[in-house]
Amino acid sequence: GKVALNWTINDHHLLYGFVATGFRPGGLNVPVGLGLPAPFDEELVTSYEVGWKAGWLDGHLRTQVNAYYNDYENFQVIIGFPAFPTFGFELNTPNPTEMYGFEAQAEAVFGDFSLDAGLGWMHSSLGEFFATDPRLPSFLPCDPATGPASITCINLEGRDQTYAPEFTFNLGMQYAFSLGNGDTLTPRLNYGHVSEQWATLFQNPALGDDVEQRDIFNAQLAWTHDDWMATLWATNLSDQRYMAALNSGLRFAGPPQQYGIRVM
């Protein structure tokens, strides 16, 4: 469900707020070893958000800012099966998990020049629960709700959600040059920053869990003629090498420098 309240102050300013609920369905775990893992329940979330949308400079500049708070119950995670930690299974954290943050966007158009930008700040915190890293040998008990805490049974309370960077930022700008007869030539540059993040809840740098921050530059040059458009494009101009994801002990590289042409 969702309940929202909007206030149109005038033609250029809108305030809004809402409360919404959602869920992710539960399911069954595959039996492993001699144990039979219990099913996992649906994940529930209550989301709160307030924001302000505005227009400035006679409509040449549009902005939006918003803040949000998400409260999770039965948050779903995949960890090692307590009796056989090398096998993974999905369960619900016994205590609430939260995520909150702030976002801002801007779009400006002044004749042939335009600019857009966005930033986001996010904090996530897992509720208390205990888990064994399936990548490490362990023969000690580890109950998700009670532990007990040990060298291998880790209390993950307060850990960040996986692949949840704390800060992101992007900036793009372009200028449309008139070539006569209705033709245009438009160069565009984009920059995006993603802060460091964790690939697993165990946050073990020795096992490669830290995903480094990255700064990606893209560019394109578009030519339009009547109903035709040809675009030269290039991504990751600096050819930054970085790990984008970690799964089953394998590290997946981010896309390298790429370039090409599109005709439409």
PDB file of all heavy atoms in Angstrom, residues 230-256:
ATOM      1  N   ALA A 230      23.977  10.044 -36.408  1.00  0.00           N
ATOM      2  CA  ALA A 230      25.174   9.217 -36.269  1.00  0.00           C
ATOM      3  C   ALA A 230      25.918   9.667 -35.014  1.00  0.00           C
ATOM      4  O   ALA A 230      26.126  10.868 -34.812  1.00  0.00           O
ATOM      5  CB  ALA A 230      26.067   9.344 -37.504  1.00  0.00           C
ATOM      6  N   THR A 231      26.290   8.713 -34.173  1.00  0.00           N
ATOM      7  CA  THR A 231      26.916   9.030 -32.890  1.00  0.00           C
ATOM      8  C   THR A 231      28.200   8.238 -32.716  1.00  0.00           C
ATOM      9  O   THR A 231      28.196   7.002 -32.774  1.00  0.00           O
ATOM     10  CB  THR A 231      25.965   8.711 -31.721  1.00  0.00           C
ATOM     11  OG1 THR A 231      24.734   9.397 -31.912  1.00  0.00           O
ATOM     12  CG2 THR A 231      26.582   9.118 -30.397  1.00  0.00           C
ATOM     13  N   LEU A 232      29.309   8.964 -32.518  1.00  0.00           N
ATOM     14  CA  LEU A 232      30.557   8.348 -32.068  1.00  0.00           C
ATOM     15  C   LEU A 232      30.541   8.353 -30.550  1.00  0.00           C
ATOM     16  O   LEU A 232      30.281   9.394 -29.935  1.00  0.00           O
ATOM     17  CB  LEU A 232      31.766   9.137 -32.585  1.00  0.00           C
ATOM     18  CG  LEU A 232      32.022   9.120 -34.092  1.00  0.00           C
ATOM     19  CD1 LEU A 232      33.111  10.132 -34.438  1.00  0.00           C
ATOM     20  CD2 LEU A 232      32.434   7.727 -34.542  1.00  0.00           C
ATOM     21  N   TRP A 233      30.833   7.212 -29.928  1.00  0.00           N
ATOM     22  CA  TRP A 233      30.760   7.142 -28.468  1.00  0.00           C
ATOM     23  C   TRP A 233      31.963   6.408 -27.908  1.00  0.00           C
ATOM     24  O   TRP A 233      32.591   5.578 -28.581  1.00  0.00           O
ATOM     25  CB  TRP A 233      29.476   6.449 -28.008  1.00  0.00           C
ATOM     26  CG  TRP A 233      29.310   5.053 -28.547  1.00  0.00           C
ATOM     27  CD1 TRP A 233      28.664   4.686 -29.686  1.00  0.00           C
ATOM     28  CD2 TRP A 233      29.843   3.839 -27.976  1.00  0.00           C
ATOM     29  NE1 TRP A 233      28.736   3.324 -29.861  1.00  0.00           N
ATOM     30  CE2 TRP A 233      29.452   2.780 -28.827  1.00  0.00           C
ATOM     31  CE3 TRP A 233      30.584   3.546 -26.843  1.00  0.00           C
ATOM     32  CZ2 TRP A 233      29.799   1.447 -28.571  1.00  0.00           C
ATOM     33  CZ3 TRP A 233      30.930   2.225 -26.581  1.00  0.00           C
ATOM     34  CH2 TRP A 233      30.534   1.193 -27.433  1.00  0.00           C
ATOM     35  N   ALA A 234      32.295   6.712 -26.669  1.00  0.00           N
ATOM     36  CA  ALA A 234      33.387   6.043 -25.956  1.00  0.00           C
ATOM     37  C   ALA A 234      33.051   6.024 -24.471  1.00  0.00           C
ATOM     38  O   ALA A 234      32.578   7.020 -23.921  1.00  0.00           O
ATOM     39  CB  ALA A 234      34.709   6.758 -26.184  1.00  0.00           C
ATOM     40  N   THR A 235      33.273   4.883 -23.835  1.00  0.00           N
ATOM     41  CA  THR A 235      33.015   4.737 -22.403  1.00  0.00           C
ATOM     42  C   THR A 235      34.311   4.372 -21.675  1.00  0.00           C
ATOM     43  O   THR A 235      35.230   3.791 -22.263  1.00  0.00           O
ATOM     44  CB  THR A 235      31.961   3.655 -22.132  1.00  0.00           C
ATOM     45  OG1 THR A 235      32.402   2.410 -22.695  1.00  0.00           O
ATOM     46  CG2 THR A 235      30.624   4.033 -22.772  1.00  0.00           C
ATOM     47  N   ASN A 236      34.357   4.735 -20.395  1.00  0.00           N
ATOM     48  CA  ASN A 236      35.546   4.492 -19.559  1.00  0.00           C
ATOM     49  C   ASN A 236      36.799   4.996 -20.287  1.00  0.00           C
ATOM     50  O   ASN A 236      37.737   4.239 -20.568  1.00  0.00           O
ATOM     51  CB  ASN A 236      35.667   3.006 -19.221  1.00  0.00           C
ATOM     52  CG  ASN A 236      36.678   2.737 -18.117  1.00  0.00           C
ATOM     53  OD1 ASN A 236      37.270   3.661 -17.555  1.00  0.00           O
ATOM     54  ND2 ASN A 236      36.889   1.466 -17.811  1.00  0.00           N
ATOM     55  N   LEU A 237      36.816   6.287 -20.573  1.00  0.00           N
ATOM     56  CA  LEU A 237      37.890   6.880 -21.366  1.00  0.00           C
ATOM     57  C   LEU A 237      39.275   6.652 -20.762  1.00  0.00           C
ATOM     58  O   LEU A 237      40.260   6.483 -21.488  1.00  0.00           O
ATOM     59  CB  LEU A 237      37.647   8.389 -21.526  1.00  0.00           C
ATOM     60  CG  LEU A 237      36.481   8.783 -22.436  1.00  0.00           C
ATOM     61  CD1 LEU A 237      36.251  10.286 -22.378  1.00  0.00           C
ATOM     62  CD2 LEU A 237      36.752   8.345 -23.867  1.00  0.00           C
ATOM     63  N   SER A 238      39.378   6.659 -19.437  1.00  0.00           N
ATOM     64  CA  SER A 238      40.669   6.461 -18.783  1.00  0.00           C
ATOM     65  C   SER A 238      41.050   4.990 -18.672  1.00  0.00           C
ATOM     66  O   SER A 238      42.121   4.672 -18.152  1.00  0.00           O
ATOM     67  CB  SER A 238      40.659   7.091 -17.386  1.00  0.00           C
ATOM     68  OG  SER A 238      39.680   6.453 -16.565  1.00  0.00           O
ATOM     69  N   ASP A 239      40.174   4.094 -19.162  1.00  0.00           N
ATOM     70  CA  ASP A 239      40.408   2.655 -19.115  1.00  0.00           C
ATOM     71  C   ASP A 239      40.726   2.193 -17.687  1.00  0.00           C
ATOM     72  O   ASP A 239      41.655   1.416 -17.456  1.00  0.00           O
ATOM     73  CB  ASP A 239      41.541   2.256 -20.059  1.00  0.00           C
ATOM     74  CG  ASP A 239      41.488   0.770 -20.422  1.00  0.00           C
ATOM     75  OD1 ASP A 239      40.403   0.173 -20.302  1.00  0.00           O
ATOM     76  OD2 ASP A 239      42.541   0.220 -20.806  1.00  0.00           O
ATOM     77  N   GLN A 240      39.938   2.693 -16.745  1.00  0.00           N
ATOM     78  CA  GLN A 240      40.133   2.299 -15.352  1.00  0.00           C
ATOM     79  C   GLN A 240      39.831   0.822 -15.184  1.00  0.00           C
ATOM     80  O   GLN A 240      38.817   0.323 -15.659  1.00  0.00           O
ATOM     81  CB  GLN A 240      39.247   3.131 -14.430  1.00  0.00           C
ATOM     82  CG  GLN A 240      39.441   2.802 -12.953  1.00  0.00           C
ATOM     83  CD  GLN A 240      38.658   3.742 -12.050  1.00  0.00           C
ATOM     84  OE1 GLN A 240      38.094   4.738 -12.504  1.00  0.00           O
ATOM     85  NE2 GLN A 240      38.627   3.430 -10.767  1.00  0.00           N
ATOM     86  N   ARG A 241      40.714   0.105 -14.483  1.00  0.00           N
ATOM     87  CA  ARG A 241      40.528  -1.317 -14.212  1.00  0.00           C
ATOM     88  C   ARG A 241      40.026  -1.477 -12.779  1.00  0.00           C
ATOM     89  O   ARG A 241      40.667  -0.991 -11.842  1.00  0.00           O
ATOM     90  CB  ARG A 241      41.839  -2.073 -14.416  1.00  0.00           C
ATOM     91  CG  ARG A 241      42.509  -1.810 -15.764  1.00  0.00           C
ATOM     92  CD  ARG A 241      41.641  -2.240 -16.931  1.00  0.00           C
ATOM     93  NE  ARG A 241      42.229  -1.945 -18.224  1.00  0.00           N
ATOM     94  CZ  ARG A 241      43.006  -2.776 -18.895  1.00  0.00           C
ATOM     95  NH1 ARG A 241      43.305  -3.956 -18.400  1.00  0.00           N
ATOM     96  NH2 ARG A 241      43.504  -2.427 -20.074  1.00  0.00           N
ATOM     97  N   TYR A 242      38.918  -2.158 -12.628  1.00  0.00           N
ATOM     98  CA  TYR A 242      38.355  -2.304 -11.294  1.00  0.00           C
ATOM     99  C   TYR A 242      37.511  -3.567 -11.235  1.00  0.00           C
ATOM    100  O   TYR A 242      37.016  -4.053 -12.259  1.00  0.00           O
ATOM    101  CB  TYR A 242      37.506  -1.087 -10.915  1.00  0.00           C
ATOM    102  CG  TYR A 242      36.318  -0.848 -11.813  1.00  0.00           C
ATOM    103  CD1 TYR A 242      35.051  -1.350 -11.494  1.00  0.00           C
ATOM    104  CD2 TYR A 242      36.450  -0.118 -12.998  1.00  0.00           C
ATOM    105  CE1 TYR A 242      33.965  -1.142 -12.325  1.00  0.00           C
ATOM    106  CE2 TYR A 242      35.363   0.100 -13.831  1.00  0.00           C
ATOM    107  CZ  TYR A 242      34.127  -0.413 -13.485  1.00  0.00           C
ATOM    108  OH  TYR A 242      33.053  -0.203 -14.301  1.00  0.00           O
ATOM    109  N   MET A 243      37.344  -4.099 -10.013  1.00  0.00           N
ATOM    110  CA  MET A 243      36.462  -5.239  -9.792  1.00  0.00           C
ATOM    111  C   MET A 243      35.052  -4.714  -9.564  1.00  0.00           C
ATOM    112  O   MET A 243      34.825  -3.873  -8.698  1.00  0.00           O
ATOM    113  CB  MET A 243      36.922  -6.049  -8.579  1.00  0.00           C
ATOM    114  CG  MET A 243      36.070  -7.299  -8.328  1.00  0.00           C
ATOM    115  SD  MET A 243      36.481  -8.162  -6.796  1.00  0.00           S
ATOM    116  CE  MET A 243      35.670  -7.116  -5.579  1.00  0.00           C
ATOM    117  N   ALA A 244      34.105  -5.220 -10.362  1.00  0.00           N
ATOM    118  CA  ALA A 244      32.731  -4.753 -10.243  1.00  0.00           C
ATOM    119  C   ALA A 244      31.897  -5.640  -9.332  1.00  0.00           C
ATOM    120  O   ALA A 244      30.918  -5.173  -8.743  1.00  0.00           O
ATOM    121  CB  ALA A 244      32.084  -4.680 -11.626  1.00  0.00           C
ATOM    122  N   ALA A 245      32.248  -6.931  -9.218  1.00  0.00           N
ATOM    123  CA  ALA A 245      31.433  -7.845  -8.420  1.00  0.00           C
ATOM    124  C   ALA A 245      32.268  -9.047  -8.003  1.00  0.00           C
ATOM    125  O   ALA A 245      33.286  -9.378  -8.632  1.00  0.00           O
ATOM    126  CB  ALA A 245      30.202  -8.297  -9.197  1.00  0.00           C
ATOM    127  N   LEU A 246      31.811  -9.707  -6.948  1.00  0.00           N
ATOM    128  CA  LEU A 246      32.431 -10.928  -6.433  1.00  0.00           C
ATOM    129  C   LEU A 246      31.330 -11.949  -6.227  1.00  0.00           C
ATOM    130  O   LEU A 246      30.326 -11.661  -5.571  1.00  0.00           O
ATOM    131  CB  LEU A 246      33.162 -10.646  -5.115  1.00  0.00           C
ATOM    132  CG  LEU A 246      33.771 -11.842  -4.386  1.00  0.00           C
ATOM    133  CD1 LEU A 246      34.990 -12.347  -5.133  1.00  0.00           C
ATOM    134  CD2 LEU A 246      34.154 -11.448  -2.951  1.00  0.00           C
ATOM    135  N   ASN A 247      31.519 -13.157  -6.790  1.00  0.00           N
ATOM    136  CA  ASN A 247      30.488 -14.186  -6.649  1.00  0.00           C
ATOM    137  C   ASN A 247      31.148 -15.555  -6.717  1.00  0.00           C
ATOM    138  O   ASN A 247      31.902 -15.847  -7.651  1.00  0.00           O
ATOM    139  CB  ASN A 247      29.435 -14.052  -7.752  1.00  0.00           C
ATOM    140  CG  ASN A 247      28.249 -14.974  -7.543  1.00  0.00           C
ATOM    141  OD1 ASN A 247      28.026 -15.490  -6.444  1.00  0.00           O
ATOM    142  ND2 ASN A 247      27.483 -15.195  -8.592  1.00  0.00           N
ATOM    143  N   SER A 248      30.871 -16.386  -5.702  1.00  0.00           N
ATOM    144  CA  SER A 248      31.402 -17.757  -5.644  1.00  0.00           C
ATOM    145  C   SER A 248      32.924 -17.774  -5.783  1.00  0.00           C
ATOM    146  O   SER A 248      33.489 -18.658  -6.424  1.00  0.00           O
ATOM    147  CB  SER A 248      30.754 -18.626  -6.734  1.00  0.00           C
ATOM    148  OG  SER A 248      29.349 -18.671  -6.583  1.00  0.00           O
ATOM    149  N   GLY A 249      33.571 -16.792  -5.177  1.00  0.00           N
ATOM    150  CA  GLY A 249      35.036 -16.732  -5.220  1.00  0.00           C
ATOM    151  C   GLY A 249      35.597 -16.170  -6.505  1.00  0.00           C
ATOM    152  O   GLY A 249      36.816 -16.037  -6.638  1.00  0.00           O
ATOM    153  N   LEU A 250      34.751 -15.844  -7.464  1.00  0.00           N
ATOM    154  CA  LEU A 250      35.206 -15.295  -8.744  1.00  0.00           C
ATOM    155  C   LEU A 250      35.038 -13.783  -8.739  1.00  0.00           C
ATOM    156  O   LEU A 250      34.009 -13.266  -8.290  1.00  0.00           O
ATOM    157  CB  LEU A 250      34.418 -15.904  -9.902  1.00  0.00           C
ATOM    158  CG  LEU A 250      34.482 -17.423 -10.051  1.00  0.00           C
ATOM    159  CD1 LEU A 250      33.595 -17.874 -11.214  1.00  0.00           C
ATOM    160  CD2 LEU A 250      35.920 -17.879 -10.280  1.00  0.00           C
ATOM    161  N   ARG A 251      36.041 -13.091  -9.264  1.00  0.00           N
ATOM    162  CA  ARG A 251      35.995 -11.634  -9.353  1.00  0.00           C
ATOM    163  C   ARG A 251      35.650 -11.235 -10.790  1.00  0.00           C
ATOM    164  O   ARG A 251      36.300 -11.682 -11.724  1.00  0.00           O
ATOM    165  CB  ARG A 251      37.340 -11.039  -8.925  1.00  0.00           C
ATOM    166  CG  ARG A 251      37.597 -11.221  -7.437  1.00  0.00           C
ATOM    167  CD  ARG A 251      39.048 -10.957  -7.072  1.00  0.00           C
ATOM    168  NE  ARG A 251      39.248 -11.050  -5.643  1.00  0.00           N
ATOM    169  CZ  ARG A 251      39.358 -12.193  -4.973  1.00  0.00           C
ATOM    170  NH1 ARG A 251      39.286 -13.344  -5.645  1.00  0.00           N
ATOM    171  NH2 ARG A 251      39.539 -12.210  -3.682  1.00  0.00           N
ATOM    172  N   PHE A 252      34.648 -10.391 -10.920  1.00  0.00           N
ATOM    173  CA  PHE A 252      34.179  -9.974 -12.237  1.00  0.00           C
ATOM    174  C   PHE A 252      34.641  -8.543 -12.506  1.00  0.00           C
ATOM    175  O   PHE A 252      34.322  -7.629 -11.741  1.00  0.00           O
ATOM    176  CB  PHE A 252      32.654 -10.072 -12.311  1.00  0.00           C
ATOM    177  CG  PHE A 252      32.141 -11.476 -12.215  1.00  0.00           C
ATOM    178  CD1 PHE A 252      31.908 -12.069 -10.974  1.00  0.00           C
ATOM    179  CD2 PHE A 252      31.908 -12.223 -13.358  1.00  0.00           C
ATOM    180  CE1 PHE A 252      31.446 -13.366 -10.870  1.00  0.00           C
ATOM    181  CE2 PHE A 252      31.442 -13.531 -13.270  1.00  0.00           C
ATOM    182  CZ  PHE A 252      31.217 -14.105 -12.029  1.00  0.00           C
ATOM    183  N   ALA A 253      35.401  -8.379 -13.581  1.00  0.00           N
ATOM    184  CA  ALA A 253      35.955  -7.077 -13.916  1.00  0.00           C
ATOM    185  C   ALA A 253      34.874  -6.154 -14.464  1.00  0.00           C
ATOM    186  O   ALA A 253      33.937  -6.584 -15.130  1.00  0.00           O
ATOM    187  CB  ALA A 253      37.073  -7.225 -14.941  1.00  0.00           C
ATOM    188  N   GLY A 254      35.037  -4.851 -14.178  1.00  0.00           N
ATOM    189  CA  GLY A 254      34.171  -3.854 -14.782  1.00  0.00           C
ATOM    190  C   GLY A 254      34.518  -3.689 -16.253  1.00  0.00           C
ATOM    191  O   GLY A 254      35.607  -4.057 -16.702  1.00  0.00           O
ATOM    192  N   PRO A 255      33.605  -3.138 -17.053  1.00  0.00           N
ATOM    193  CA  PRO A 255      33.868  -2.979 -18.481  1.00  0.00           C
ATOM    194  C   PRO A 255      35.105  -2.116 -18.737  1.00  0.00           C
ATOM    195  O   PRO A 255      35.263  -1.072 -18.110  1.00  0.00           O
ATOM    196  CB  PRO A 255      32.603  -2.289 -19.003  1.00  0.00           C
ATOM    197  CG  PRO A 255      31.547  -2.585 -17.982  1.00  0.00           C
ATOM    198  CD  PRO A 255      32.266  -2.650 -16.673  1.00  0.00           C
ATOM    199  N   PRO A 256      35.978  -2.522 -19.646  1.00  0.00           N
ATOM    200  CA  PRO A 256      37.145  -1.702 -19.980  1.00  0.00           C
ATOM    201  C   PRO A 256      36.730  -0.556 -20.892  1.00  0.00           C
ATOM    202  O   PRO A 256      35.538  -0.325 -21.131  1.00  0.00           O
ATOM    203  CB  PRO A 256      38.041  -2.697 -20.712  1.00  0.00           C
ATOM    204  CG  PRO A 256      37.073  -3.621 -21.386  1.00  0.00           C
ATOM    205  CD  PRO A 256      35.917  -3.746 -20.434  1.00  0.00           C
TER     206      PRO A 256
END
